Amino acid sequence: MDFLGGNVLLPGLELKIFLLGIGAFLLAGTCFSIISTRKAKDNENPNLVQSLWLFFYSCFLKPHEGDNKGNQQNALESFYKSQAGAYDATRKRLLRGREDMLALAAAQLALKAEKIDSNHAKNIWVDIGGGTGWNIEAMSQFVDVPTFFNSVYLVDFSPSLCEVARKRFARLGWTNVRIVCQDARTFRLEDHEPVLHGGRPRSPDASYVSQQQPRHVGANLITMSYSLSMIPDYYSVVDSLISLLAPNGILGVVDFYVQSQVDVSFRNYTGGLIDRHVNFLGRTFWRAWFDIDRVALEPGRRDYLEYRFGTLLNVNTRNYGLGAIPYYIWLGVRKQPLSSSLPHEIVEKVDALVTESPYLHPTNHSDMLSRAIEKSVPEIRSKAFDAAIVNLSANLPLPSFFYQNHHYRIYYDDQLKKHTQFNNEYIYAFTWEDTRVDERILKLKPSDVVLAITSAGDNILSYALQGPARIHAVDLNPTQNHLLELKVAAFQSLEYEDLWKIFGEGKHPDFRALLISKMSPHLSSRAFQYWLSNHHIFTKNRGGLYDTGGSKHGIRIFRWITQVFGCRAAVKDLLAARTLNEQREIWRNRVRPALLSRLVSNFVVSQESFLWTALGVPKNQLAILEADHAVSDVVCGPNPTAKNTRSHAIWQYMVDTLDPMVESTHIAADNPYYLVCLDGKYSRQCHPDYLSPKAHSRLSRPDALDNLRIHTDEIDEVLARIGPGSLTVAVVMDSMDWFDPGSDAATSQITKLNRALKMGGRVMLRSAGLKPWYLKEFAKLGFATKCMGSRKGGACIDRVNMYASCWICTKRENLGPPTPVMDSIGDTEISSLKI
């Protein structure tokens, strides 16, 4: 027989050795498991090796038999009895998100506690499927469990896990925690707590409006941590939670899931869909994998939860430490909002706040305003109202915006193409309009109702400091409004130093923790989802907030130019200049030759893709700029110095922007707009108005920003749904430059502005043109135009100096049906609501 030689084994021997090894491993493991199980009975905390083996054996090797009773408790005991003592040690990496869910719930409870009389309030927590009590002990990171909660009920169906929990709380000495080994379907709080007015509450009616309120106090907090996926009859358990939950209570759930986006893309009540979709392979694999241990990942469990309750916050994420297992965190409240006795009342209330409707009468309501509106227009309804009516008629929860603690953010459909076109990225991380000039021109009064483009929200907060009656912030890009929401939440929840680190320096190492434990109750679900998935913006070592968004491309290219031309040190010296004269000298001799070189203009700045991506300059605005250049003295004058080309037009525009700005403003001391571009952060000396300690003191008051409404839509859509004669000021920035002169879009928007503004109301705009073409349209449609600043003759009109002109257009006459005279209206803004 021929010898194969070397170390080559006989054919088929490799398989035999492999199978023999597997058999030996299983035999040794079985023997070890028997020894470990016996030891674990007398040891609450087995060692790491024992814990890991018990977990592996119980999940993948041990048959799930029990004592042949064939019920759910028997099945649970069969799975958990041998590993109860090792449960906590083996689940920390697998069951991710539990601490985040607890922190989110604690933040909500803390906010609610500020609004009620704590001396008479009774706090009750029910942890469904609480197992070993790990959740309850972990909650002590966020609240003092023994003093904050009057009663804590751990409800679980596994006697072995309950026994571990009893030992845990006996060791901790927490006498307010009670272990209830019972089927969650049959747990009733009135069996353990005093009943109000006697009797047991009936099962909740299925009707949306007529849900039976429980007669006991109710639980302020109910949690389910990786238990919903293990309950076979989850419908009855979810239904029972309605009678358990107090009217102002919070329901918190964290669990595994798999779901396709086609299941939920049409639902407007889920609180956002960021990362909710799990691809086909992931859905198939994880469902099969967890089915081994009787953990059910079908989407219906989460869907039913979202159907029976209103969504407050919603997070979809992955456990990347263990193969990217999908899991979700969900916070919910009663389906019928607590803000009113009936759902339609909160719908009407939010609708009135959005549309400046007179149908909810303010105490200083004007009869003249009502008569004018009733005669001229049909009833105006907001998109929030429209969406709510559809949901109410179908017995669905309201969109998540209705359940928020604040009604800043107005409902929008995040699946529309006009919103998804931005690919979940904001363009502006900071605002390019000089708020000091805005304040000087507008001189806002307490009676003013302002509509303004959100951008990065800096200008909105500046207006809020001036105390107008109402501010409508409008932006089509959802993430620009997410940024404004984050700033508002920071004012409502953070100390000044934390606010400064996040928005002054653009970084905060503890941003994620602050977002969850402090800011989350003040954010809409979609905004919270966005910032949680992008928390790295503030926590990474390099970059920061002001190195993000579309504008980051312009800033990075500027840095690249300064490095290529060897003037990076000159930029640092520019920022360190102590006087304006010193700054001018550095600019003229060391920075300007590189930044304003023809080479840079020809190959970088004049490219249309750069202008849009980095600077947000659309083609129609570029056309205005080029048209002005074509008739300027540098092209048509007696001694022309430039050609009528795009590159020359862009170069000249840069010269007219930067030279006057550098010559007139001290960047390091008083120009935060260019400081943040050059240095990537603000300084304590130089920053926007809203970042001052005085501004924080004012805007951090509980009701300081209650006058804010954030609309995610086009200006035209918002104007069309605002009551006639409601606005006094509209700040449209440079948005009119974006219109095509050949279309009627500008005329349409100006007409809507005329309708929405009171007589004497003002439109403030900026333009890349010295005298933009649409000013004639304003004049035709009832406005008087006045130039408030122009860059003619090399003038610097503000600290940004990015726009060629600034205009105020004042309404002098009505179009079509009349709107009230501004002086006759007085202060008609809502001061208190009467439903």
Side-chain angles (χ1 to χ4, degrees):
M1 182 176 70
D2 291 336
F3 179 60
L4 297 176
N7 294 320
V8 179
L9 298 177
L10 294 174
L13 190 57
E14 300 97 324
L15 179 60
K16 294 178 181 179
I17 293 176
F18 176 75
L19 294 176
L20 182 63
I22 291 293
F25 175 76
L26 294 177
L27 178 63
T30 302
C31 296
F32 183 75
S33 68
I34 295 173
I35 298 173
S36 298
T37 302
R38 288 175 179 173
K39 289 183 178 180
K41 290 180 179 179
D42 301 319
N43 184 9
E44 182 182 350
N45 298 303
N47 61 45
L48 180 61
V49 175
Q50 288 177 326
S51 298
L52 293 175
W53 172 253
L54 285 172
F55 172 72
F56 179 81
Y57 172 73
S58 300
C59 292
F60 304 109
L61 300 180
K62 182 180 180 294
H64 295 258
E65 294 177 353
D67 56 7
N68 299 319
K69 292 181 180 179
N71 57 33
Q72 173 66 1
Q73 187 176 48
N74 175 51
L76 289 172
E77 273 299 274
S78 174
F79 183 69
Y80 285 122
K81 188 174 183 179
S82 63
Q83 57 168 322
Y87 184 89
D88 291 338
T90 56
R91 294 318 197 273
K92 187 172 180 61
R93 294 184 64 84
L94 176 64
L95 307 183
R96 300 297 294 271
R98 292 180 293 175
E99 290 169 298
D100 286 346
M101 183 269 287
L102 294 172
L104 289 168
Q108 294 286 339
L109 293 175
L111 181 64
K112 292 180 183 297
E114 295 175 2
K115 301 179 180 180
I116 61 175
D117 184 1
S118 58
N119 294 325
H120 296 87
K122 187 171 185 179
N123 293 323
I124 300 173
W125 175 14
V126 178
D127 190 20
I128 303 294
T132 64
W134 186 94
N135 279 354
I136 298 173
E137 184 176 358
M139 179 63 100
S140 62
Q141 302 173 63
F142 314 110
V143 299
D144 185 11
V145 175
T147 59
F148 185 86
F149 293 103
N150 299 85
S151 303
V152 180
Y153 295 94
L154 186 157
V155 182
D156 201 282
F157 212 15
S158 169
S160 299
L161 296 181
C162 287
E163 183 59 29
V164 175
R166 289 190 183 95
K167 292 179 181 179
R168 178 192 297 272
F169 296 112
R171 172 174 52 83
L172 292 172
W174 291 4
T175 57
N176 62 329
V177 180
R178 306 177 190 180
I179 311 302
V180 182
C181 189
Q182 183 177 342
D183 188 338
R185 295 175 298 179
T186 62
F187 177 79
R188 297 291 181 267
L189 199 55
E190 62 268 22
D191 294 337
H192 306 273
E193 293 289 329
V195 178
L196 301 180
H197 309 302
R200 298 170 64 90
R202 292 159 45 190
S203 299
D205 195 310
S207 169
Y208 185 102
V209 175
S210 60
Q211 288 178 0
Q212 180 73 27
Q213 298 292 322
R215 297 179 185 176
H216 52 75
V217 175
N220 304 76
L221 176 64
I222 300 175
T223 54
M224 299 183 73
S225 176
Y226 290 96
S227 56
L228 183 61
S229 58
M230 297 193 70
I231 299 174
D233 185 15
Y234 62 90
Y235 290 104
S236 59
V237 173
V238 172
D239 286 344
S240 72
L241 300 182
I242 297 172
S243 62
L244 281 179
L245 192 65
N248 64 341
I250 300 294
L251 173 60
V253 179
V254 57
D255 214 328
F256 303 116
Y257 85 101
V258 292
Q259 192 159 36
S260 170
Q261 60 187 2
V262 300
D263 295 341
V264 292
S265 59
F266 58 91
R267 299 176 191 164
N268 63 9
Y269 56 86
T270 60
L273 301 176
I274 294 178
D275 294 331
R276 183 150 180 171
H277 175 71
V278 180
N279 62 43
F280 174 77
L281 291 177
R283 297 196 303 271
T284 304
F285 174 77
W286 291 120
R287 286 189 67 171
W289 178 269
F290 281 99
D291 191 58
I292 297 173
D293 293 324
R294 302 185 183 183
V295 178
L297 269 61
E298 71 268 20
R301 295 171 183 265
R302 184 180 182 184
D303 290 345
Y304 191 63
L305 187 71
E306 291 175 332
Y307 167 72
R308 293 297 277 157
F309 292 88
T311 296
L312 192 61
L313 290 178
N314 179 20
V315 177
N316 310 290
T317 185
R318 306 291 185 270
N319 182 350
Y320 291 105
L322 291 175
I325 305 172
Y327 70 93
Y328 69 93
I329 302 171
W330 179 87
L331 259 61
V333 293
R334 284 183 169 273
K335 195 174 183 179
Q336 179 176 315
L338 181 65
S339 303
S340 64
S341 59
L342 292 174
H344 71 82
E345 291 181 356
I346 189 173
V347 174
E348 293 281 0
K349 177 180 177 180
V350 174
D351 181 64
L353 295 175
V354 173
T355 62
E356 299 295 329
S357 170
Y359 295 104
L360 280 179
H361 296 288
T363 55
N364 52 353
H365 175 65
S366 167
D367 292 335
M368 180 181 178
L369 178 60
S370 283
R371 287 196 301 270
I373 292 176
E374 289 169 1
K375 291 179 181 178
S376 63
V377 295
E379 190 174 16
I380 299 172
R381 291 296 189 185
S382 69
K383 290 186 177 180
F385 180 90
D386 293 342
I389 290 302
V390 171
N391 287 29
L392 289 172
S393 63
N395 199 32
L396 295 172
L398 295 168
S400 63
F401 297 98
F402 286 89
Y403 300 104
Q404 308 304 316
N405 295 305
H406 307 282
H407 295 303
Y408 305 136
R409 194 73 179 264
I410 306 304
Y411 166 79
Y412 69 98
D413 185 349
D414 60 346
Q415 297 303 297
L416 296 179
K417 188 175 181 180
K418 65 181 181 181
H419 299 312
T420 60
Q421 65 174 318
F422 298 100
N423 296 317
N424 265 337
E425 183 182 35
Y426 45 86
I427 298 175
Y428 306 105
F430 52 91
T431 300
W432 270 103
E433 279 71 28
D434 191 339
T435 55
R436 184 185 298 170
V437 171
D438 286 8
E439 182 177 358
R440 188 188 74 238
I441 293 174
L442 295 174
K443 295 183 175 65
L444 297 178
K445 302 185 295 295
S447 59
D448 277 316
V449 179
V450 181
L451 180 144
I453 295 175
T454 303
S455 187
D458 305 1
N459 54 328
I460 303 297
L461 295 173
S462 176
Y463 300 148
L465 287 169
Q466 300 172 55
R470 176 83 73 242
I471 303 173
H472 293 278
V474 184
D475 209 295
L476 186 59
N477 186 339
T479 54
Q480 295 288 173
N481 284 334
H482 293 342
L483 182 54
L484 173 58
E485 263 201 85
L486 185 70
K487 292 178 179 179
V488 171
F491 274 106
Q492 294 291 293
S493 61
L494 301 183
E495 299 294 330
Y496 175 72
E497 286 303 315
D498 288 323
L499 177 85
W500 172 259
K501 287 182 180 178
I502 294 173
F503 299 112
E505 300 173 8
K507 297 179 182 179
H508 198 308
D510 299 322
F511 174 79
R512 189 179 188 278
L514 290 173
L515 177 68
I516 292 174
S517 62
K518 297 289 186 180
M519 291 187 278
S520 60
H522 306 279
L523 289 166
S524 68
S525 182
R526 292 176 187 174
F528 176 73
Q529 273 191 2
Y530 179 81
W531 290 114
L532 187 64
S533 63
N534 290 279
H535 67 88
H536 61 275
I537 289 173
F538 299 95
T539 56
K540 62 185 179 182
N541 294 327
R542 299 185 62 184
L545 173 62
Y546 301 113
D547 191 42
T548 61
S551 56
K552 71 184 176 190
H553 302 294
I555 296 173
R556 289 178 179 179
I557 288 176
F558 169 76
R559 293 173 185 167
W560 175 79
I561 292 170
T562 58
Q563 289 177 348
V564 169
F565 286 86
C567 58
R568 187 63 186 158
V571 173
K572 293 182 179 179
D573 292 341
L574 186 76
L575 297 178
R578 297 182 179 180
T579 65
L580 189 57
N581 284 333
E582 184 181 350
Q583 174 184 284
R584 291 168 180 164
E585 196 68 23
I586 297 171
W587 168 258
R588 294 169 186 168
N589 299 323
R590 299 171 61 188
V591 179
R592 189 184 191 280
L595 186 61
L596 295 181
S597 67
R598 294 287 189 181
L599 182 65
V600 172
S601 176
N602 290 338
F603 292 99
V604 180
V605 181
S606 62
Q607 301 303 310
E608 190 170 320
S609 58
F610 170 82
L611 290 169
W612 169 244
T613 304
L615 302 179
V617 179
K619 63 178 182 179
N620 289 328
Q621 190 171 53
L622 181 59
I624 292 175
L625 183 155
E626 291 179 300
D628 274 3
H629 176 72
V631 297
S632 65
D633 289 342
V634 296
V635 175
C636 302
N639 298 304
T641 58
K643 299 178 181 178
N644 186 17
T645 63
R646 172 172 294 178
S647 62
H648 278 237
I650 297 297
W651 183 85
Q652 188 62 47
Y653 197 88
M654 290 175 59
V655 169
D656 293 341
T657 297
L658 297 177
D659 276 347
M661 181 276 298
V662 176
E663 297 289 333
S664 305
T665 69
H666 190 183
I667 296 175
D670 193 38
N671 197 327
Y673 308 99
Y674 286 93
L675 175 64
V676 73
C677 290
L678 298 174
D679 200 32
K681 60 184 179 181
Y682 299 110
S683 70
R684 298 279 183 167
Q685 179 186 8
C686 182
H687 51 71
D689 299 339
Y690 79 93
L691 285 177
S692 68
K694 183 178 179 181
H696 177 266
S697 176
R698 184 168 180 176
L699 295 180
S700 60
R701 296 197 306 262
D703 59 347
L705 293 163
D706 285 352
N707 62 344
L708 176 63
R709 299 294 172 266
I710 304 174
H711 305 260
T712 309
D713 217 331
E714 299 101 332
I715 294 178
D716 278 15
E717 288 290 323
V718 177
L719 289 173
R721 290 173 180 264
I722 285 181
S726 299
L727 301 179
T728 62
V729 174
V731 183
V732 297
M733 296 185 177
D734 64 327
S735 64
M736 301 292 292
D737 281 359
W738 295 36
F739 290 127
D740 183 353
S743 72
D744 60 354
T747 300
S748 175
Q749 186 170 112
I750 296 169
T751 302
K752 290 184 176 69
L753 284 166
N754 183 290
R755 170 193 159 281
L757 284 164
K758 295 178 180 179
M759 191 65 71
R762 297 164 292 165
V763 178
M764 183 178 179
L765 61 89
R766 290 180 168 91
S767 175
L770 291 171
K771 192 171 183 180
W773 60 271
Y774 45 78
L775 290 176
K776 295 180 180 179
E777 299 301 317
F778 271 100
K780 292 178 183 177
L781 296 170
F783 289 88
T785 61
K786 181 180 179 181
C787 182
M788 307 303 295
S790 174
R791 294 197 321 194
K792 285 183 179 179
C796 182
I797 61 175
D798 56 40
R799 289 177 294 174
V800 179
N801 205 40
M802 182 64 69
Y803 301 101
S805 62
C806 176
W807 298 81
I808 288 289
C809 303
T810 305
K811 179 179 174 179
R812 295 303 186 199
E813 60 180 275
N814 292 306
L815 298 178
T819 51
V821 178
M822 186 172 176
D823 294 337
S824 301
I825 293 300
D827 295 340
T828 60
E829 181 55 25
I830 294 176
S831 58
S832 64
L833 295 174
K834 293 184 179 179
I835 300 178

